Amino acid sequence: MNHEIHLVERPKAKPTHEHLKIVEKDRPQPDQGEVLVKLLYASVDPYMRGRMSAAKSYIAPFELNAPMEGGVVGEVVESKADTLREGDIITGMLPWKEYTAAKADTLRKIDTSLGPITTSLGILGMPGLTAYFGLIDIGQPKKGETLVVSGAAGAVGSTVAQIGKISGCHVVGIAGSDEKLAYLKNELNVDEVINYKTENVSSQLEKACPNGIDIYFDNVGGNISDAVYPLLNKFARIAQCGAIASYNVPNDQGPRMQMHLIKSSALIKGFTVGDYQDRFHEGFTHLAQWLQEGKLTYEETITEGFENIPDAFFGLFEGTNIGKQLVKIAEPTHN
Amino acid sequence: MNHEIHLVERPKAKPTHEHLKIVEKDRPQPDQGEVLVKLLYASVDPYMRGRMSAAKSYIAPFELNAPMEGGVVGEVVESKADTLREGDIITGMLPWKEYTAAKADTLRKIDTSLGPITTSLGILGMPGLTAYFGLIDIGQPKKGETLVVSGAAGAVGSTVAQIGKISGCHVVGIAGSDEKLAYLKNELNVDEVINYKTENVSSQLEKACPNGIDIYFDNVGGNISDAVYPLLNKFARIAQCGAIASYNVPNDQGPRMQMHLIKSSALIKGFTVGDYQDRFHEGFTHLAQWLQEGKLTYEETITEGFENIPDAFFGLFEGTNIGKQLVKIAEPTHN
């Protein structure tokens, strides 16, 4: 048998167990050119919330009564393709099924010498590339500038904060627990940290950013961004990566911010990592080098068990994770 | 005697006669290096509302119990400077006084052969340059793209709409009266027009933009922009020039828009014409050439009388003007 996690109802606000269901199906057989993949790790990411809605976006909505899908690490347990063999560890976008038959050419074999296989879902995967391109291409960090990062202890934010330090910025991280703040301060050497759940973000930002804000890497939107906009310096840049504060709030309202942009001649650019597909090699090269040099570090929060994928996903909206939130489904057979 | 218009109270919402006062003072005497300027035309502009508030912005607030200030055309009636002589027609930023003593090097002599002297406050002045740089530099118009302009019948918007047509765009203009729509359609050859006061902007935009929106030149913000954001195409560009809908609304609230930017990888860039100071020559050259070739036209709404400057200014927020709103104070003596 094969367990799958299906979207059975589209959430209007927070996603819950009402919306996802574990279903039993037959284990698939690979066709010619395909491999059978055993799921080892599944990534859960805030952007998936968008695909649960039917609205038009940069990526198609998930289908109802079909599996959710996301970045995974898996092991090839049967191959009918020339390019992959049994025992290969791969990464790709696959449905949430314990076993999946997938075309070999949609998967990438992981070079396990570069680091633990889970890094291909984190620092050496989409979150790492998202951090790199958003900060470098949109943020254009210069030495001595002030960079504010919201969602700073997450997979993307924690990488942004570190690349900000590498770029010589004064880095201010905003996160939602003292444990996260300690991680940012002590492990990542972030200059100033703010707990948005217990502190007044506006006044703490003013203290933490005596020279104003030049770059804002925004993962969250909502009240936190409202507090950032008035402090923008002339020609500030905002990389709009996410808006998790709005994902579960239908018709979320807030102060209009156009006047702040005019006053500071500031720029906001929305983006997704796919916009930079042609430059992934550049991103991987820098990330891998910094990792090797010890300039970049990363944290993972790992939940165990296929059946716990939904809870790990829901937890993203409660801010329970530090660094990359993963779910471990199985050990590699050939380990 | 010399009449002056002073800011006597800072408005919290709409500016009214409570906030401005006509004051009688002595006529000033020019010092060495200065000229005495007689005001001929005063420009009233929405951005002045921002300077009436004490809040930090890209330009210093007006002082209380001192004259308001803005772009003017004037005549030199007495000169103690080598570079200007009696009878010269000049433009510059001067206080709202019938006669002003000003340093000659802060004024620019108008070449009256280029067109009527009022064009230096409109199509060949700040509004023309604002339209040019916002659309060309931020909007990056390409042939066949869809350009939406809010405040389309104003001094800036009407120039944007025409440069959009010159660039080969499908141009959609939004304005607030049937007279303005007729002007846009018939005089400026705008492709589609929407009356935001009598029509449903969302549904009309969907009809007018069957291929989505690639460029939005925004003078107004507010509800109109709310209706634009969901229709943005991938990699859309928004030139945030003004937000007149918010100027008189303390703590104006609306739907948060970050998710629209992420979904379309869109860019919003706030700007003011001063950002492009180094490129003014480029802008003037293009605008003057298009004007000469008959590709650009312009409209002026002229109110008569120094004492009517406040009403002309207040009218901007009621949308009473088509094209550039000016106040005529006097004829040139040497005409």
Side-chain angles (χ1 to χ4, degrees):
Chain A
M1 294 304 289
N2 197 22
H3 290 105
E4 309 184 359
I5 297 173
H6 286 207
L7 176 67
V8 293
E9 203 184 310
R10 299 194 186 280
K12 292 198 174 60
K14 276 193 187 183
T16 66
H17 285 286
E18 282 174 59
H19 308 109
L20 298 178
K21 192 174 161 190
I22 298 186
V23 174
E24 278 194 1
K25 296 269 185 180
D26 289 335
R27 190 176 295 186
Q29 298 292 328
D31 286 334
Q32 200 52 43
E34 291 188 337
V35 295
L36 186 66
V37 175
K38 178 184 175 187
L39 222 57
L40 303 179
Y41 288 92
S43 174
V44 292
D45 299 272
Y47 80 86
M48 293 169 169
R49 173 64 184 80
R51 297 192 68 185
M52 296 174 85
S53 300
K56 176 197 157 193
S57 185
Y58 62 92
I59 184 166
F62 291 125
E63 303 221 2
L64 270 184
N65 301 311
M68 298 271 289
E69 181 187 288
V72 304
V73 166
E75 179 182 11
V76 175
V77 291
E78 185 184 342
S79 177
K80 288 193 173 166
D82 300 334
T83 50
L84 289 174
R85 64 175 71 178
E86 211 182 304
D88 282 348
I89 305 295
I90 58 84
T91 184
M93 290 285 285
L94 288 182
W96 285 354
K97 300 178 176 187
E98 287 170 309
Y99 290 86
T100 301
K103 290 206 167 107
D105 59 10
T106 65
L107 306 173
R108 180 170 67 81
K109 185 178 167 178
I110 295 175
D111 177 353
T112 53
S113 73
L114 286 179
I117 59 177
T118 52
T119 56
S120 66
L121 296 175
I123 193 94
L124 294 180
M126 293 304 130
L129 292 171
T130 301
Y132 177 86
F133 288 109
L135 183 60
I136 297 295
D137 192 65
I138 300 171
Q140 305 262 347
K142 286 170 224 32
K143 202 176 163 183
E145 288 191 327
T146 296
L147 162 67
V148 172
V149 189
S150 61
V156 174
S158 60
T159 311
V160 170
Q162 293 177 85
I163 301 177
K165 290 301 297 174
I166 293 170
S167 305
C169 291
H170 175 72
V171 178
V172 179
I174 307 176
S177 75
D178 290 342
E179 188 192 358
K180 289 178 181 178
L181 298 198
Y183 166 65
L184 292 169
K185 266 275 199 200
N186 304 333
E187 308 288 320
L188 306 188
N189 300 310
V190 165
D191 298 288
E192 303 284 346
V193 292
I194 299 172
N195 184 333
Y196 74 88
K197 289 190 179 166
T198 62
E199 297 184 277
N200 179 312
V201 177
S202 288
S203 61
Q204 292 307 109
L205 271 176
E206 278 187 59
K207 273 188 223 167
C209 308
N211 301 319
I213 297 170
D214 300 293
I215 308 166
Y216 177 39
F217 193 105
D218 190 10
N219 289 302
V220 306
N223 295 339
I224 293 174
S225 298
D226 298 342
V228 168
Y229 298 141
L231 301 177
L232 294 176
N233 285 336
K234 187 85 182 170
F235 300 124
R237 290 84 64 196
I238 299 176
Q240 192 70 47
C241 178
I244 197 168
S246 294
Y247 292 174
N248 298 324
V249 185
N251 305 313
D252 193 16
Q253 304 264 322
R256 296 188 188 279
M257 33 65 75
Q258 292 98 340
M259 284 175 67
H260 295 295
L261 299 181
I262 299 169
K263 283 180 183 177
S264 55
S265 292
L267 170 151
I268 304 189
K269 175 81 177 69
F271 75 106
T272 58
V273 69
D275 300 346
Y276 295 96
Q277 207 146 12
D278 296 346
R279 292 172 57 188
F280 277 2
H281 181 74
E282 168 198 334
F284 278 127
T285 304
H286 280 98
L287 292 165
Q289 188 187 330
W290 288 328
L291 201 57
Q292 208 170 9
E293 294 171 354
K295 291 178 180 170
L296 266 188
T297 176
Y298 63 93
E299 197 67 41
E300 293 168 341
T301 299
I302 299 183
T303 300
E304 303 262 343
F306 183 82
E307 69 282 8
N308 292 322
I309 292 178
D311 280 328
F313 174 62
F314 304 150
L316 296 173
F317 304 102
E318 311 302 327
T320 50
N321 59 305
I322 289 191
K324 183 71 199 107
Q325 175 69 57
L326 296 171
V327 180
K328 182 175 178 180
I329 293 112
E331 288 281 349
T333 320
H334 295 71
N335 215 0
Chain B
M1 295 306 290
N2 198 23
H3 290 105
E4 308 184 0
I5 298 173
H6 286 207
L7 176 67
V8 293
E9 203 184 310
R10 299 194 186 280
K12 292 197 175 61
K14 275 194 189 182
T16 67
H17 285 285
E18 281 174 60
H19 308 108
L20 298 179
K21 193 173 160 190
I22 297 187
V23 174
E24 277 193 0
K25 295 269 185 180
D26 289 334
R27 190 177 295 186
Q29 298 292 327
D31 287 332
Q32 201 51 45
E34 291 189 336
V35 293
L36 186 67
V37 175
K38 178 184 175 186
L39 223 58
L40 302 179
Y41 289 92
S43 174
V44 292
D45 299 273
Y47 80 85
M48 293 170 170
R49 173 63 185 82
R51 296 193 69 185
M52 296 174 85
S53 299
K56 177 196 156 191
S57 183
Y58 61 92
I59 184 166
F62 291 125
E63 303 219 3
L64 271 184
N65 302 311
M68 298 269 290
E69 182 187 289
V72 304
V73 167
E75 179 183 10
V76 175
V77 291
E78 187 185 340
S79 175
K80 288 193 173 166
D82 298 335
T83 50
L84 289 175
R85 64 174 72 178
E86 212 183 303
D88 282 350
I89 305 295
I90 58 85
T91 184
M93 290 285 284
L94 288 182
W96 286 353
K97 300 178 178 187
E98 287 170 309
Y99 290 86
T100 300
K103 290 206 167 108
D105 59 9
T106 64
L107 306 173
R108 181 170 66 82
K109 185 178 167 178
I110 296 174
D111 178 353
T112 53
S113 73
L114 286 179
I117 59 178
T118 52
T119 56
S120 65
L121 296 174
I123 193 96
L124 294 181
M126 292 305 131
L129 291 170
T130 301
Y132 177 85
F133 288 110
L135 183 60
I136 298 296
D137 192 66
I138 300 170
Q140 305 261 347
K142 287 171 221 33
K143 201 176 163 181
E145 288 191 327
T146 295
L147 162 66
V148 172
V149 188
S150 61
V156 173
S158 61
T159 310
V160 170
Q162 293 177 84
I163 302 176
K165 290 301 297 176
I166 292 170
S167 305
C169 291
H170 175 73
V171 178
V172 179
I174 307 176
S177 76
D178 289 343
E179 188 192 358
K180 289 177 180 180
L181 298 197
Y183 167 64
L184 292 169
K185 266 275 199 201
N186 304 333
E187 308 287 321
L188 306 188
N189 299 310
V190 165
D191 298 289
E192 302 284 346
V193 292
I194 299 172
N195 183 334
Y196 73 88
K197 290 190 178 167
T198 61
E199 298 184 276
N200 179 312
V201 177
S202 289
S203 60
Q204 292 307 107
L205 270 176
E206 278 188 59
K207 274 188 223 166
C209 308
N211 301 320
I213 296 170
D214 300 293
I215 309 166
Y216 176 39
F217 192 105
D218 190 9
N219 289 303
V220 307
N223 295 338
I224 293 174
S225 298
D226 298 342
V228 168
Y229 298 141
L231 301 177
L232 294 175
N233 285 336
K234 187 85 181 167
F235 300 124
R237 290 85 63 197
I238 299 177
Q240 192 70 47
C241 178
I244 197 169
S246 294
Y247 292 174
N248 299 323
V249 185
N251 305 314
D252 194 17
Q253 304 264 322
R256 295 187 189 279
M257 32 64 75
Q258 291 98 341
M259 284 176 67
H260 295 296
L261 299 182
I262 298 169
K263 284 179 182 177
S264 55
S265 293
L267 169 152
I268 305 190
K269 175 79 177 69
F271 76 106
T272 59
V273 69
D275 300 347
Y276 295 95
Q277 207 146 13
D278 296 347
R279 291 172 59 187
F280 277 3
H281 181 74
E282 168 198 334
F284 278 127
T285 303
H286 280 98
L287 292 165
Q289 188 187 329
W290 288 328
L291 200 58
Q292 208 169 12
E293 293 172 353
K295 291 179 180 170
L296 267 187
T297 177
Y298 63 93
E299 196 67 42
E300 292 169 340
T301 299
I302 299 183
T303 300
E304 302 263 344
F306 183 81
E307 69 281 8
N308 292 322
I309 293 178
D311 280 328
F313 174 62
F314 304 150
L316 296 172
F317 304 101
E318 311 302 327
T320 50
N321 59 305
I322 288 191
K324 183 70 199 109
Q325 174 70 56
L326 296 171
V327 180
K328 181 175 179 180
I329 292 113
E331 288 282 350
T333 320
H334 294 72
N335 216 0

